[in-house]
Amino acid sequence: MDEWPPVRCPRFDGERLESYRRRVEQVTEIVTKFRRGLYSAEVADEMEALLDRLRSPELAEEQA
């Protein structure tokens, strides 16, 4: 049986553990919903942009 690969979300340099855990939860939720096809086209674009921000240290800093 084929399975999805695990969601990867490395910790940023200097990132607090609490912040990292919260970010991992968000990334995991977004990726899981994408895999299940739960986003409409309009929402999917927004979630993809959010996912990019959550996975990029530079963009995450801008959002904070």
Side-chain angles (χ1 to χ4, degrees):
M1 176 189 295
D2 291 335
E3 293 184 23
W4 289 103
V7 176
R8 299 196 187 278
C9 189
R11 190 170 173 187
F12 301 147
D13 289 338
E15 184 176 23
R16 293 185 335 225
L17 186 57
E18 179 181 318
S19 175
Y20 171 66
R21 287 182 177 158
R22 188 171 43 248
R23 194 169 55 80
V24 168
E25 286 177 12
Q26 289 178 298
V27 168
T28 301
E29 179 181 352
I30 292 169
V31 169
T32 300
K33 287 184 176 182
F34 266 118
R35 290 175 176 177
R36 293 180 180 164
L38 299 178
Y39 291 123
S40 65
E42 300 82 26
V43 174
D45 290 340
E46 294 174 25
M47 291 297 104
E48 187 172 14
L50 176 57
L51 191 58
D52 286 343
R53 288 193 304 274
L54 290 169
R55 287 185 163 167
S56 170
E58 296 81 22
L59 296 175
E61 286 178 10
E62 292 174 9
Q63 184 179 359

